[in-house]
Amino acid sequence: MSAETAETAEPTEPAGGSTDAASRRREQHGWYFYDFACSVYSTSVLTVFIGPYLTSIAKAASDADGFVHPLGIPVRAGSLFAYAVSVSVVIAVIVMPIAGAAADRTGRKKPLLAAAAYTGAAATTGMFFLDGDRYLLGAFLLIVANAAVSVSMVLYNAYLPQIAEPEERDSVSSRGWAFGYTSGAFVLILDLVLYTGHDSFGLSESDSVRICLASAGLWWGAFTLVPLRRLRDRRVSAGGEGAVGSGWRQLLATLRDMRRHPLTLSFLLAYLVYNDGVQTVISQASIYGSEELGLEQTTLITAVLLVQVLAVAGALGMGRLARVYGAKRTILGSLVVWTLILVAGYFLPAGAPVFFYALASAIGLVLGGSQALSRSLFSHLVPRGKEAEYFSAYEMSDRGLSWLGPLVFGLAYQTTGSYRDAIISLVIFFVVGSVLLARVPVRQAVAAAGNPVPERI
């Protein structure tokens, strides 16, 4: 889509779109609520419950050597969760560019966002039926839900350049993450009450976990209604092939077009590498805590709750740092902290909750900010009118290409039987990502994309 076409992509309402401050604020408030809706999946399901629970189901179904055999393939039960996450994001790689191209060609992001969100919410709610040795059902629902949340985030992120002026994007993006971490913390408190008091509620431990999983899906579906009411689709010029039929051709065209913006591609490469490490730490932390450190599920829940609370302050605080030092320098500083976190995690003693809480605190302080600032920085590097298709490439780096870290983590455990070896292998993602990001001249990249250069970036 050309820059001239982008200028015709006006709001469906006749009044001024992004230049109308009141309308823009209304959309921003609605936009925040999708983070509020889907972040509960990331925290309660992916980070806390499904890893240890799916592993326990797989172990119940394993043979004498500790292996299960999905499709006849021998898989160590402790690696199943990591492999399922890896498969889910490979599937997301296939679907996300098509969704982004469809959104840009039709201008109708909301129906696509709704379809992805409710597919993921339904799969998550279906986790209530995981019990016994149904590890294949668990892996299938995890793959569907994780792929769906990735596709929905393509469309969600693509709204950011349309609802926020360039100077607003760091703060708007950070507030979105803060909303997500707030909802994650609130639901984790409810989960903690239910899990620790399951006997008083007349529930087994397994029943309480399944209710926590399913309630995350119901929360996701319910609060998705808010952004679907407030966000607005933009018109695009008539003509062109149908988005579905031309999805793959559009993907190839997008990749060719991105070659015209090599500095944007350079940032995406850096983000792909360091964010792969971030996503793997998030998804595998509960497995590391339960299996390697021998921590109770209650400890894991409270640690992740601590992450959620501190991540709100971290996201907002790093947003303020970015206004003083620029987003790039602030992100680079956070990557140094991530590296130190992994080194400390490798030496963490087993059965020591206090040290695990300290590590969780450090993660919380850098988690939200590093992700929020990466998203807002990329929004400056996107040519106008190509938000959804470029954000599909971004989302491939954010979630869709984050298959390598879980795969490396799973293979490390499969071959060594040690989660410590698996966790330390992730350091390379942060070191290489930092080097690549440091080499990107972001001010030049913003100008090359045809966008105004903020005073601080």
Side-chain angles (χ1 to χ4, degrees):
M1 192 183 297
S2 66
E4 291 78 13
T5 300
E7 293 177 356
T8 68
E10 298 295 329
T12 54
E13 291 84 347
S18 63
T19 60
D20 183 335
S23 175
R24 193 168 67 246
R25 282 195 299 273
R26 175 180 170 81
E27 286 197 89
Q28 288 171 3
H29 293 157
W31 187 80
Y32 299 149
F33 265 92
Y34 190 69
D35 251 325
F36 191 85
C38 72
S39 290
V40 172
Y41 165 80
S42 298
T43 54
S44 292
V45 178
L46 191 64
T47 305
V48 176
F49 286 110
I50 193 63
Y53 188 64
L54 182 58
T55 300
S56 69
I57 293 174
K59 285 183 175 180
S62 64
D63 59 22
D65 296 321
F67 285 81
V68 290
H69 300 269
L71 304 178
I73 302 171
V75 173
R76 191 185 290 270
S79 296
L80 179 69
F81 172 66
Y83 289 156
V85 172
S86 188
V87 170
S88 73
V89 291
V90 170
I91 292 173
V93 167
I94 298 171
V95 179
M96 287 190 301
I98 299 174
D104 281 336
R105 283 179 173 270
T106 65
R108 293 179 59 79
K109 296 183 183 70
K110 280 206 296 185
L112 295 167
L113 175 61
Y118 285 109
T119 297
T124 304
T125 305
M127 292 178 183
F128 178 79
F129 300 102
L130 298 182
D131 58 5
D133 58 358
R134 296 178 178 175
Y135 74 94
L136 283 177
L137 176 62
F140 172 75
L141 292 175
L142 172 61
I143 288 168
V144 172
N146 216 44
V149 76
S150 297
V151 173
S152 72
M153 291 301 291
V154 169
L155 303 153
Y156 167 72
N157 287 335
Y159 275 104
L160 180 59
Q162 296 177 338
I163 65 173
E165 299 294 337
E167 65 275 9
E168 297 178 302
R169 290 180 195 165
D170 285 347
S171 60
V172 169
S173 182
S174 295
R175 287 191 199 107
W177 283 108
F179 263 63
Y181 286 120
T182 300
S183 72
F186 176 73
V187 173
L188 275 179
I189 291 173
L190 300 180
D191 290 341
L192 181 62
V193 171
L194 179 63
Y195 180 82
T196 57
H198 60 80
D199 287 334
S200 62
F201 291 109
L203 300 170
S204 67
E205 181 178 340
S206 174
D207 289 339
S208 67
V209 171
R210 292 188 296 117
I211 291 172
C212 290
L213 292 170
S215 64
L218 295 175
W219 179 284
W220 184 0
F223 284 99
T224 294
L225 293 172
V226 179
L228 293 180
R229 286 182 61 85
R230 291 201 172 191
L231 292 172
R232 296 181 291 117
D233 285 333
R234 271 71 175 168
R235 295 193 195 105
V236 295
S237 59
E241 300 178 74
V244 175
S246 61
W248 285 108
R249 288 188 292 276
Q250 180 62 50
L251 170 60
L252 294 176
T254 300
L255 295 175
R256 285 195 297 269
D257 185 78
M258 292 186 75
R259 291 169 58 190
R260 298 170 47 233
H261 302 281
L263 297 180
T264 300
L265 276 175
S266 296
F267 173 81
L268 269 180
L269 177 60
Y271 182 68
L272 182 156
V273 174
Y274 72 73
N275 188 66
D276 204 347
V278 172
Q279 295 298 326
T280 307
V281 172
I282 293 170
S283 66
Q284 305 302 319
S286 60
I287 286 287
Y288 186 71
S290 63
E291 299 295 324
E292 183 67 35
L293 303 181
L295 301 175
E296 298 292 333
Q297 186 74 54
T298 302
T299 301
L300 299 178
I301 296 172
T302 51
V304 175
L305 178 59
L306 181 62
V307 169
Q308 302 305 301
V309 172
L310 291 177
V312 175
L316 298 176
M318 286 182 64
R320 293 190 179 95
L321 287 175
R323 289 198 292 271
V324 177
Y325 300 104
K328 177 183 172 180
R329 289 183 180 178
T330 307
I331 295 169
L332 285 171
S334 75
L335 297 183
V336 173
V337 177
W338 275 110
T339 302
L340 295 176
I341 286 170
L342 287 178
V343 173
Y346 178 80
F347 293 104
L348 210 62
V354 173
F355 292 105
F356 192 72
Y357 288 142
L359 208 62
S361 300
I363 290 174
L365 290 174
V366 294
L367 175 60
S370 59
Q371 293 177 316
L373 292 178
S374 296
R375 177 170 63 186
S376 62
L377 179 55
F378 181 70
S379 73
H380 293 284
L381 309 181
V382 178
R384 292 186 61 189
K386 299 186 177 181
E387 293 87 1
E389 60 182 272
Y390 269 61
F391 264 107
S392 72
Y394 173 86
E395 191 64 22
M396 287 169 67
S397 300
D398 186 2
R399 296 176 190 261
L401 286 186
S402 295
W403 56 269
L404 183 59
L407 180 62
V408 168
F409 190 94
L411 288 173
Y413 178 75
Q414 175 120 352
T415 55
T416 68
S418 169
Y419 283 109
R420 292 186 187 272
D421 291 339
I423 202 72
I424 200 63
S425 68
L426 302 179
V427 167
I428 190 66
F429 291 97
F430 295 103
V431 173
V432 174
S434 296
V435 172
L436 293 174
L437 178 60
R439 294 169 59 87
V440 179
V442 291
R443 299 184 69 84
Q444 184 181 342
V446 174
N451 296 319
V453 181
E455 181 179 352
R456 294 280 186 185
I457 194 169

